Amino acid sequence: MKKIILITGATAGIGKATAELYAKNNWKIILTGRRSERLLALKKELISEFSAEVITLNFDVRDKEAVDGAVNSLPSAWKKIDVLLNNAGLAKGFSDIQDGSIEDWETMIDTNIKGLLYVSKAIMPLMIERKAGHIVNIGSIAGKEVYAKGNVYCSTKHAVEGITKALRMDLLPHKIKVSAVCPGAVDTEFSTVRFDGDKEKAGSVYDGYQPLLANDIAEAIFFVTSRPFHVNINDLLIMPTAQANTSNLLRE
Ligand code: NDP
Ligand code: 8X3
């Protein structure tokens, strides 16, 4: 039987690349995100390129009722979700904490922490009922270290690290695997979002070195979810070769 993955934040970057890779590998895909036109375009692409079976769910992870409504709306065969990829997330702003915008803080906390919890809360009962499933959270090097001007974003990713450990502990009796995949710099729309659409500022984040590509992370996620049942990858930290940690980057 084909396996099913639900991906949050499938409209861009890591989520989109992951959808493409899983479709190529014959999985059934539930694409989710806020930008419905992108969801529909990706659905069309996955069907035409891979003859994939795809459902789109259009919701904001910050809206708990919308999350519950979307998950409940799935046909029962599609509720047998094998992998939940908690990928939707963002950074907003880049300043010393005393100069930070409270609105930006709330957006990051509501999306990266509360949104991840809302989606997990909606899907865990479906996995518990079947005593099967795998939750993969996208953490970050920013969840392991804090960098200058990264304060609240880094804190949300530290929270993802804590939630991942807690999920693994509490879901152990239910035979549900829990993993974190934690990238360093990946060239996606991440920095464009962080800098409110300023492409020049965003591009400069990736100047002078080879960042990771979204597909590098998709491949890692696929590796994590294709191990035999007795093997769990708890935590996978993946960096560009040119990036030793959050602060040491070799730009040439
Ligand atoms: P992108 O900006 O390219 O993609 C982010 C995705 O998240 C989009 O599909 C977006 O969809 C979705 N998203 C954002 N906010 C919401 C929301 N409120 N509700 C639903 N979906 C939302 O960035 P990346 O692919 O790089 O980011 C994916 C994850 O990877 C994030 O968690 C990020 O923190 C993490 N990460 C990124 C790194 C990087 O350097 N790029 C490094 C380490 C971790 P839409 O706007 O359509 O809703
Ligand atoms: C994104 C990685 O370090 O560029 O999570 O903020 S970083």
Side-chain angles (χ1 to χ4, degrees), residues 139-142 147 153-154 157 183-186 190 194 205 243 246:
S140 172
I141 181 65
Y147 55 87
Y153 174 69
C154 296
K157 288 297 181 181
V186 192
F190 178 83
R194 170 173 240 165
V205 173
Q243 187 184 17
T246 52

Side-chain angles (χ1 to χ4, degrees), residues 8-16 32-36 38-39 58-63 86-91 107 110-112 138-142 153 156-157 160 181-193 205-206 212 214 217 238:
T8 67
T11 58
I14 295 169
K16 180 170 185 279
T32 81
R34 289 170 302 177
R35 286 170 289 182
S36 55
R38 286 202 185 195
L39 289 175
N58 184 205
F59 61 83
D60 186 323
V61 295
R62 293 171 295 178
D63 181 344
N86 277 318
N87 163 74
L90 79 185
T107 302
D110 290 350
T111 309
N112 301 355
I138 300 299
S140 172
I141 181 65
Y153 174 69
T156 65
K157 288 297 181 181
V160 171
V181 172
C182 303
V186 192
D187 188 0
T188 62
E189 294 175 16
F190 178 83
S191 295
T192 307
V193 171
V205 173
Y206 309 111
L212 295 166
I217 306 307
I238 309 164

Side-chain angles (χ1 to χ4, degrees), residues 22-36:
Y22 278 72
K24 193 174 170 185
N25 282 279
N26 217 22
W27 283 55
K28 291 163 76 169
I29 321 281
I30 305 170
L31 302 170
T32 81
R34 289 170 302 177
R35 286 170 289 182
S36 55

Side-chain angles (χ1 to χ4, degrees), residues 101-172:
S101 140
I102 288 184
E103 197 185 331
D104 285 348
W105 295 352
E106 287 177 344
T107 302
M108 292 186 279
I109 291 166
D110 290 350
T111 309
N112 301 355
I113 306 178
K114 291 166 70 180
L116 181 148
L117 286 170
Y118 293 162
V119 176
S120 303
K121 177 85 173 150
I123 288 172
M124 280 187 287
L126 305 175
M127 291 183 166
I128 289 172
E129 198 184 311
R130 297 172 51 232
K131 279 203 173 299
H134 195 161
I135 299 175
V136 180
N137 293 333
I138 300 299
S140 172
I141 181 65
K144 309 207 178 274
E145 300 168 23
V146 178
Y147 55 87
K149 302 183 193 293
N151 40 69
V152 175
Y153 174 69
C154 296
S155 302
T156 65
K157 288 297 181 181
H158 278 70
V160 171
E161 176 124 359
I163 292 166
T164 303
K165 288 178 183 162
L167 285 168
R168 189 178 305 119
M169 207 181 273
D170 294 348
L171 294 174
L172 178 65

